[in-house]
Amino acid sequence: MPGLASAEEKVAASPTGTELAEKIVGTWELVSYKVEDKDTGKLIEAMGPTPRGRVIFTKDGWVAFNLEGSGRQPAKTEAERAELMKTLVAYIGRYRIEGDQWVTSVQTAWAPEWVGTEQRRTIKLDGDYADVVTPWRKMPNWDVGHLSHSVIRFKRAQ
Protein backbone atom coordinates (compact mmCIF):
# COMPACT_ATOMS: atom_id res chain seq x y z
CA MET A 1 0.00 0.00 0.00
CA PRO A 2 1.28 3.48 -0.76
CA GLY A 3 2.48 5.38 2.32
CA LEU A 4 3.07 2.32 4.47
CA ALA A 5 6.71 1.51 5.13
CA SER A 6 7.99 -1.90 6.17
CA ALA A 7 9.95 -2.29 9.41
CA GLU A 8 13.16 -2.60 7.38
CA GLU A 9 12.42 0.63 5.52
CA LYS A 10 11.71 2.45 8.79
CA VAL A 11 15.03 1.31 10.26
CA ALA A 12 16.85 2.31 7.08
CA ALA A 13 15.08 5.70 7.19
CA SER A 14 16.07 6.38 10.81
CA PRO A 15 18.52 9.28 11.03
CA THR A 16 22.19 8.72 11.78
CA GLY A 17 25.22 10.90 12.36
CA THR A 18 24.66 14.67 12.33
CA GLU A 19 20.93 14.31 11.64
CA LEU A 20 20.51 11.98 14.64
CA ALA A 21 22.59 14.35 16.81
CA GLU A 22 20.20 17.20 15.95
CA LYS A 23 16.98 15.19 16.38
CA ILE A 24 17.92 13.52 19.68
CA VAL A 25 18.24 16.80 21.62
CA GLY A 26 15.46 17.22 24.17
CA THR A 27 13.64 15.27 26.85
CA TRP A 28 12.38 11.74 26.27
CA GLU A 29 9.94 9.88 28.54
CA LEU A 30 10.19 6.15 29.16
CA VAL A 31 7.43 4.10 27.52
CA SER A 32 8.73 0.56 28.10
CA TYR A 33 11.78 -1.25 29.42
CA LYS A 34 12.53 -4.92 28.82
CA VAL A 35 15.66 -7.00 29.30
CA GLU A 36 16.42 -9.96 27.06
CA ASP A 37 18.47 -12.86 28.45
CA LYS A 38 20.95 -13.88 25.74
CA ASP A 39 20.99 -17.60 26.59
CA THR A 40 17.23 -18.12 26.75
CA GLY A 41 15.83 -15.24 24.67
CA LYS A 42 13.40 -14.64 27.52
CA LEU A 43 12.21 -11.06 27.97
CA ILE A 44 12.35 -9.95 31.59
CA GLU A 45 10.44 -7.01 33.04
CA ALA A 46 13.44 -6.18 35.21
CA MET A 47 11.91 -2.87 36.25
CA GLY A 48 8.34 -4.16 36.60
CA PRO A 49 5.30 -3.51 34.39
CA THR A 50 5.19 0.30 34.77
CA PRO A 51 8.69 1.73 35.14
CA ARG A 52 9.23 5.46 34.77
CA GLY A 53 12.10 7.60 33.69
CA ARG A 54 13.60 10.18 31.41
CA VAL A 55 16.62 10.69 29.26
CA ILE A 56 17.63 14.28 28.48
CA PHE A 57 20.05 15.20 25.70
CA THR A 58 21.39 18.75 25.64
CA LYS A 59 22.55 20.59 22.55
CA ASP A 60 26.00 21.04 24.09
CA GLY A 61 26.59 17.29 24.48
CA TRP A 62 25.37 16.26 27.94
CA VAL A 63 23.04 13.35 28.69
CA ALA A 64 21.20 12.59 31.93
CA PHE A 65 19.62 9.13 32.09
CA ASN A 66 17.36 8.04 34.96
CA LEU A 67 15.06 5.00 35.02
CA GLU A 68 13.32 3.53 38.02
CA GLY A 69 11.23 0.45 38.54
CA SER A 70 7.51 0.11 39.20
CA GLY A 71 6.07 0.67 42.64
CA ARG A 72 9.17 1.96 44.42
CA GLN A 73 8.46 2.93 48.03
CA PRO A 74 10.62 4.78 50.58
CA ALA A 75 12.97 2.39 52.39
CA LYS A 76 12.43 1.73 56.08
CA THR A 77 15.54 -0.42 56.55
CA GLU A 78 19.04 -0.62 55.11
CA ALA A 79 18.10 -3.92 53.42
CA GLU A 80 15.14 -2.21 51.71
CA ARG A 81 17.41 0.66 50.65
CA ALA A 82 19.87 -1.83 49.12
CA GLU A 83 16.99 -3.60 47.33
CA LEU A 84 15.94 -0.29 45.73
CA MET A 85 19.26 -0.23 43.85
CA LYS A 86 18.02 -3.19 41.78
CA THR A 87 15.27 -0.99 40.34
CA LEU A 88 17.37 1.99 39.32
CA VAL A 89 19.61 2.92 36.41
CA ALA A 90 21.03 6.44 36.45
CA TYR A 91 24.04 8.13 34.92
CA ILE A 92 25.22 11.48 33.57
CA GLY A 93 28.00 12.26 31.16
CA ARG A 94 29.12 13.76 27.89
CA TYR A 95 27.74 12.05 24.80
CA ARG A 96 28.56 11.88 21.14
CA ILE A 97 26.82 10.31 18.16
CA GLU A 98 28.58 7.66 16.05
CA GLY A 99 26.40 6.48 13.17
CA ASP A 100 23.23 5.10 14.76
CA GLN A 101 24.64 5.03 18.31
CA TRP A 102 24.96 7.41 21.19
CA VAL A 103 28.07 6.91 23.27
CA THR A 104 28.22 8.34 26.80
CA SER A 105 31.46 9.00 28.66
CA VAL A 106 30.01 8.38 32.14
CA GLN A 107 30.96 10.93 34.81
CA THR A 108 28.51 9.94 37.58
CA ALA A 109 26.41 6.79 37.95
CA TRP A 110 24.30 4.72 40.31
CA ALA A 111 26.82 1.91 39.79
CA PRO A 112 30.36 3.13 40.59
CA GLU A 113 31.89 0.65 38.11
CA TRP A 114 30.30 2.64 35.27
CA VAL A 115 32.13 5.89 36.17
CA GLY A 116 34.93 6.46 33.67
CA THR A 117 33.49 3.97 31.16
CA GLU A 118 31.81 4.52 27.83
CA GLN A 119 28.25 3.28 27.50
CA ARG A 120 27.14 2.64 23.91
CA ARG A 121 23.48 2.51 22.85
CA THR A 122 21.97 1.90 19.40
CA ILE A 123 19.07 4.25 18.77
CA LYS A 124 16.40 4.32 16.07
CA LEU A 125 14.05 7.28 15.77
CA ASP A 126 10.54 6.82 14.42
CA GLY A 127 8.61 10.08 14.64
CA ASP A 128 8.23 10.97 18.33
CA TYR A 129 9.60 7.58 19.44
CA ALA A 130 13.15 6.44 20.12
CA ASP A 131 13.92 2.72 20.34
CA VAL A 132 17.15 2.03 22.21
CA VAL A 133 19.11 -1.24 22.51
CA THR A 134 22.18 -1.78 24.67
CA PRO A 135 25.04 -4.13 23.81
CA TRP A 136 25.04 -7.57 25.47
CA ARG A 137 26.52 -7.20 28.96
CA LYS A 138 26.26 -8.39 32.57
CA MET A 139 24.23 -5.91 34.61
CA PRO A 140 24.91 -5.42 38.31
CA ASN A 141 21.24 -5.34 39.32
CA TRP A 142 19.37 -8.12 37.44
CA ASP A 143 19.84 -11.39 35.61
CA VAL A 144 23.07 -11.60 37.60
CA GLY A 145 25.82 -13.61 35.96
CA HIS A 146 24.03 -13.76 32.61
CA LEU A 147 24.50 -11.76 29.44
CA SER A 148 21.51 -9.58 28.70
CA HIS A 149 20.64 -6.46 26.82
CA SER A 150 18.01 -3.81 27.38
CA VAL A 151 15.32 -2.95 24.86
CA ILE A 152 13.95 0.47 25.73
CA ARG A 153 11.30 2.70 24.15
CA PHE A 154 11.04 6.43 24.78
CA LYS A 155 8.58 9.04 23.56
CA ARG A 156 9.53 12.68 23.10
CA ALA A 157 8.17 14.57 26.13
CA GLN A 158 5.80 17.44 25.47
Side-chain angles (χ1 to χ4, degrees), residues 75-85:
K76 295 179 181 141
T77 67
E78 288 304 311
E80 288 177 355
R81 188 171 317 287
E83 196 65 24
L84 284 172
M85 292 302 291

Side-chain angles (χ1 to χ4, degrees), residues 59-120:
K59 192 172 188 171
D60 63 344
W62 286 94
V63 62
F65 187 94
N66 189 82
L67 303 181
E68 58 183 56
S70 305
R72 289 169 51 99
Q73 298 294 318
K76 295 179 181 141
T77 67
E78 288 304 311
E80 288 177 355
R81 188 171 317 287
E83 196 65 24
L84 284 172
M85 292 302 291
K86 293 180 180 178
T87 59
L88 178 67
V89 177
Y91 59 90
I92 295 172
R94 302 288 294 176
Y95 79 92
R96 67 185 183 277
I97 299 297
E98 293 181 358
D100 66 349
Q101 297 186 329
W102 105 67
V103 183
T104 304
S105 296
V106 178
Q107 294 188 13
T108 65
W110 97 113
E113 61 270 24
W114 280 29
V115 175
T117 68
E118 287 196 341
Q119 296 296 313
R120 186 173 293 270

Side-chain angles (χ1 to χ4, degrees), residues 11-23 97-101 122-125:
V11 168
S14 182
T16 60
T18 303
E19 185 182 3
L20 177 58
E22 291 170 1
K23 290 187 174 193
I97 299 297
E98 293 181 358
D100 66 349
Q101 297 186 329
T122 300
I123 183 168
K124 304 289 184 210
L125 298 183

